[in-house]
Amino acid sequence: MKHDEAFDKSFRASSSFEGDLLSSAATKRDAKAYLSRLKSTSDDARKTRATSRSSDVLHGRPYRPEVNLGGFFGYSRAVENNPDFEQGSRHELAVEEELGRKHVALVKLTSPEELEAETLSGIGQTLSQLSRLSMVPCVVIDAKVSSHDWRKGLVRQIERITNAIEQSPDTHTRRIDYLFNISHRQPTPTVADRKYLLRPLKQERIPIISPVAFDTDMQKNCPITADAAILALTKELAGLNLIPKPSENHLDATKRIQTLQNQISLDRLIVLDPVGGIPELQGEGRSHVFINMEQEYAEIHRDLAGQLRANKLDPHSAPSKMPSGNSKEWKADNGGELSPGIQESKPSETQVYSNVPANMMFPERAQQHLNNLSLLRDALTLLPPSSSAIITTPLDAANSSRESSPSSHFSAVGTRRFKNPLIHNLLTDKPPHSSSLPRGRATPLPSVSSATSTSDSPSSRAPSSTPLTSLPTFLKRGMPLTIIPPLPWTPTTTPLPLTDPSINLSRLIHLIEDSFSRPLDTKHYLSRISPILAGLIIAGDHEGGAICTWERPPNSPPNTPPVPYLDKFAVLKRSQGAGGVADMVFNALVRSCFPQGVCWRSRADNPVNKWYFQRAKGTMKLRGSQWMMFWTGELPGESPGERERERLDHYEAVCRGVGASWADGGGGRKDD
């Protein structure tokens, strides 16, 4: 009987794991890229797993089979629902792995003492799944414990997360205490012994690290912040803590550093915090989906700091403090009454943080967002550009293949799986939603509590306005975005010629030809757009870009205002479908350069059209031609009228009248 129960539990866990893979998948290409990046080639790793399975059988733990992707590559609906910006064919680049190199995700778990056992169990299952997908989590606990008995409180929380992770079969942890050193001369924590950290990683055990350092001057242990521990671990795992020997030449030192960096690849930084993703204070209160640190960090940091200062100067503009788990305090903060459908108990993480509009943010919440943003900026600066970070709530991280419960309505379908943002991010290296989607087309993931409640539960009786969890925020060191000339762009500004020294014309032409796989008639193209050039958007070192013009509709009166037109939108082949380059350029185009709207055209058979359809305000097939017309922005008049029709006519006239500038002639290939 016990054997049958163990087998059933193992089978359910394996099915849950495969379900997460299917529900989190984006495209076949993403799956293949994941396998290329992270598939382990180490025989030692396989021996470790075999030894671990033998130990499980001896100790009565259920056996979990190896990862089986099943029909993963046949899940075609994901391809339809998540188009990428991709022009023409794209060769898959093989990624060679260092033998035995470990891929690591550094995880900061904030306030575990406030998490219920079910949420913590879900987080443990997700971390176990990351490990099975060859991304070993390294967890740092950020617990709020009392100063007089901090050791006992910290140990208690470490035991809770350890037990939650080891509930998953074939998953083991290693608690690491006193990993860091500090001193008067070196107040910044450093890792005392690298081998102490690498040993569990090589054994495929999940390290649980306490933020405690040994003070070498005072000869005692003392607590440090979790952020300081994360930065110390980042430096160590990135191989940046090596101190060259006095007699060592620089070539030998460089080789030693490379050897350390080849042992570990720190691919992900994960922050699990009840405050959720970084908020868009200028938007409608939702979170940033993607942050390009090079371009956006300073502005977002300034907005959050301004919000914090405003709340401190005007204490009536926001609640004085965040409610704790005490139900009496929760009542007081809500005018003496519990919110509809909430029982007399500790409020969930979602209820505590998501009921507060972005413009009425708790000061503590704004400070926590600032801390998370600064931590990830400092950590990503130490890592290669390929590394990334994600901030999400513990509730969403616990969302491990949970299914909606059967409804009382016979027509309801109760087997939809919810995307786990950590699994999805691992498989795709992208956020769960594209950052360039118009507001309203990317909905937050339902909270676990609301998603799994039945029609008879108290939470299901809450009104439809019950808040949802915030969108996770995906962060990369990214690349700078250059806008030439500086904004604003106006039709009356003297056009900047493409031969201007501020424009690298040869790199720009290479970008266009590589993206479209066609040779450009440079002389014809320059002569056509130079008099009407509105501006350029360049991502990084010409990884992507957009060329915009002011076009006058053919045969229009002289006083007709010119139409803002997207003449070329290009992304290098190697950057298509990854890295968020297309999203960054498109966001700058429609939100900064032309917030009132811009139009463009694309051939009807262009594979990029799926991507355009999702982001355009409107589309139109131009009859008698091979073109689809797209536009963004609100047209004059909310209902169809003469002005709206006139503007659409101008858009259509421009899209029909723009001439091609390809050296190969033949208008039948790809997008113009």
Side-chain angles (χ1 to χ4, degrees):
M1 191 61 148
K2 288 184 178 180
H3 173 76
D4 292 340
E5 290 178 356
F7 177 80
D8 289 342
K9 183 177 179 181
S10 176
F11 179 79
R12 285 195 301 270
S14 182
S15 299
S16 169
F17 176 73
E18 293 175 11
D20 269 353
L21 288 179
L22 292 175
S23 63
S24 299
T27 64
K28 293 180 181 179
R29 186 179 69 244
D30 289 328
K32 291 178 180 178
Y34 153 73
L35 291 175
S36 178
R37 287 195 310 268
L38 298 178
K39 189 174 73 171
S40 174
T41 58
S42 171
D43 291 335
D44 291 339
R46 285 191 288 271
K47 291 177 182 178
T48 301
R49 285 195 294 269
T51 304
S52 175
R53 287 197 300 271
S54 301
S55 175
D56 285 342
V57 173
L58 290 175
H59 291 83
R61 288 190 291 265
Y63 162 69
R64 168 176 285 182
E66 293 288 340
V67 175
N68 178 12
L69 295 180
F72 189 38
F73 294 108
Y75 197 65
S76 58
R77 288 185 62 187
V79 180
E80 295 294 328
N81 295 335
N82 295 278
D84 286 322
F85 183 91
E86 181 178 353
Q87 291 172 307
S89 61
R90 176 174 177 267
H91 298 290
E92 297 294 339
L93 301 178
V95 179
E96 295 184 2
E97 290 291 344
E98 294 286 343
L99 186 64
R101 192 182 196 190
K102 293 298 178 183
H103 295 270
V104 176
L106 202 49
V107 182
K108 173 188 167 187
L109 178 57
T110 302
S111 301
E113 72 280 356
E114 297 180 3
L115 301 180
E116 298 176 357
E118 182 181 3
T119 303
L120 209 56
S121 176
I123 293 173
Q125 182 180 348
T126 298
L127 296 179
S128 171
Q129 291 176 345
L130 290 178
S131 181
R132 295 181 68 196
L133 286 167
S134 301
M135 179 77 76
V136 183
C138 184
V139 184
V140 176
I141 300 296
D142 185 14
K144 308 299 187 293
V145 295
S146 61
S147 57
H148 68 278
D149 199 8
W150 59 268
R151 287 185 180 86
K152 185 176 180 181
L154 198 56
V155 168
R156 168 60 181 153
Q157 299 310 318
I158 290 176
E159 289 177 348
R160 291 184 70 215
I161 186 62
T162 297
N163 294 334
I165 294 174
E166 292 193 344
Q167 286 177 5
S168 299
D170 204 21
T171 303
H172 306 278
T173 64
R174 173 70 59 82
R175 172 180 159 187
I176 301 179
D177 297 319
Y178 319 126
L179 179 64
F180 309 100
N181 279 349
I182 58 173
S183 66
H184 178 71
R185 296 181 59 186
Q186 183 63 42
T188 303
T190 57
V191 173
D193 188 346
R194 179 181 177 88
K195 294 180 181 178
Y196 194 31
L197 175 61
L198 295 189
R199 190 174 297 117
L201 293 175
K202 291 181 177 180
Q203 296 172 348
E204 296 196 338
R205 292 176 175 267
I206 298 177
I208 311 297
I209 299 173
S210 59
V212 179
F214 180 72
D215 190 326
T216 57
D217 294 329
M218 303 297 293
Q219 292 293 298
K220 68 174 185 178
N221 296 311
C222 57
I224 59 175
T225 66
D227 288 1
I230 290 287
L231 288 176
L233 289 167
T234 301
K235 291 178 183 178
E236 184 62 49
L237 293 174
L240 301 179
N241 273 344
L242 179 67
I243 301 176
K245 301 173 183 177
S247 59
E248 189 175 26
N249 64 58
H250 69 280
L251 292 178
D252 292 338
T254 301
K255 288 181 180 179
R256 284 209 298 147
I257 292 175
Q258 290 176 344
T259 300
L260 294 179
Q261 293 175 337
N262 288 336
Q263 292 175 346
I264 296 292
S265 175
L266 181 50
D267 297 333
R268 292 291 187 283
L269 298 166
I270 300 172
V271 174
L272 305 182
D273 195 318
V275 300
I278 305 296
E280 283 186 354
L281 297 182
Q282 306 301 326
E284 300 174 354
R286 76 170 190 171
S287 301
H288 284 276
V289 176
F290 170 66
I291 296 178
N292 172 18
M293 289 294 207
E294 284 277 357
Q295 177 203 359
E296 301 175 87
Y297 171 79
E299 181 181 355
I300 296 173
H301 189 278
R302 184 174 61 248
D303 289 344
L304 287 171
Q307 177 75 45
L308 185 61
R309 286 194 300 270
N311 288 345
K312 288 181 178 179
L313 292 174
D314 182 8
H316 300 290
S317 65
S320 60
K321 61 179 180 177
M322 291 185 290
S324 66
N326 188 298
S327 62
K328 293 183 179 180
E329 183 177 347
W330 182 243
K331 278 188 175 184
D333 288 332
N334 283 274
E337 295 182 2
L338 288 170
S339 299
I342 299 177
Q343 294 177 322
E344 180 92 17
S345 62
K346 175 181 177 179
S348 71
E349 298 92 330
T350 303
Q351 293 157 359
V352 169
Y353 294 99
S354 297
N355 276 320
V356 185
N359 59 358
M360 283 190 62
M361 189 182 298
F362 293 114
E364 294 91 338
R365 188 185 189 194
Q367 185 63 61
Q368 189 63 24
H369 284 307
L370 272 173
N371 294 344
N372 290 339
L373 185 67
S374 299
L375 167 66
L376 295 179
R377 191 280 302 267
D378 294 342
L380 288 174
T381 302
L382 303 171
L383 298 173
S386 58
S387 298
S388 59
I390 186 170
I391 307 174
T392 190
T393 64
L395 278 174
D396 283 342
N399 189 12
S400 299
S401 192
R402 295 178 183 267
E403 298 176 353
S404 56
S405 299
S407 170
S408 58
H409 302 285
F410 292 104
S411 60
V413 178
T415 58
R416 178 180 295 274
R417 296 181 185 272
F418 300 106
K419 278 185 181 179
N420 183 301
L422 302 188
I423 302 296
H424 178 275
N425 176 253
L426 171 61
L427 294 176
T428 66
D429 197 26
K430 300 176 186 175
H433 304 281
S434 172
S435 61
S436 62
L437 285 175
R439 288 179 173 87
R441 295 192 188 178
T443 11
L445 300 172
S447 66
V448 175
S449 56
S450 63
T452 57
S453 62
T454 64
S455 58
D456 297 328
S457 66
S459 60
S460 66
R461 295 193 296 269
S464 59
S465 60
T466 299
L468 301 175
T469 53
S470 63
L471 288 171
T473 298
F474 179 64
L475 308 94
K476 274 204 166 189
R477 193 170 78 187
M479 58 187 66
L481 205 64
T482 306
I483 297 178
I484 306 172
L487 298 175
W489 293 348
T490 62
T492 58
T493 304
T494 303
L496 185 71
L498 285 177
T499 53
D500 188 89
S502 63
I503 299 173
N504 190 329
L505 184 59
S506 61
R507 297 297 300 275
L508 186 63
I509 293 173
H510 171 73
L511 167 62
I512 295 172
E513 293 181 341
D514 180 81
S515 178
F516 289 93
S517 300
R518 301 182 68 179
L520 187 69
D521 185 341
T522 306
K523 183 177 179 180
H524 179 272
Y525 186 65
L526 293 180
S527 65
R528 184 182 76 79
I529 71 167
S530 290
I532 56 175
L533 182 66
L536 284 75
I537 305 170
I538 303 296
D541 189 14
H542 292 78
E543 296 289 315
I547 301 176
C548 305
T549 58
W550 296 109
E551 303 280 352
R552 291 196 179 275
N555 304 319
S556 60
N559 61 346
T560 302
V563 170
Y565 178 71
L566 173 59
D567 188 85
K568 289 287 184 289
F569 189 88
V571 178
L572 288 179
K573 281 284 190 290
R574 68 169 184 261
S575 300
Q576 291 181 11
V581 176
D583 288 328
M584 286 188 284
V585 175
F586 194 84
N587 278 339
L589 173 74
V590 301
R591 298 179 186 177
S592 301
C593 301
F594 295 117
Q596 302 304 316
V598 62
C599 70
W600 69 97
R601 72 182 186 184
S602 175
R603 296 188 186 274
D605 60 350
N606 189 350
V608 184
N609 287 347
K610 288 181 184 179
W611 196 84
Y612 286 151
F613 277 126
Q614 289 187 343
R615 286 151 183 81
K617 182 68 177 180
T619 64
M620 178 188 297
K621 176 70 171 69
L622 301 184
R623 294 182 180 178
S625 76
Q626 56 193 338
W627 302 113
M628 291 291 300
M629 182 177 76
F630 300 85
W631 68 87
T632 65
E634 297 293 339
L635 292 172
E638 295 184 1
S639 58
E642 184 177 348
R643 293 183 62 191
E644 179 181 4
R645 185 67 256 174
E646 181 183 29
R647 187 172 179 182
L648 279 177
D649 288 343
H650 290 168
Y651 282 177
E652 181 177 356
V654 166
C655 289
R656 287 183 181 274
V658 172
S661 297
W662 298 112
D664 58 3
R669 292 182 57 193
K670 307 300 179 215
D671 180 20
D672 183 56

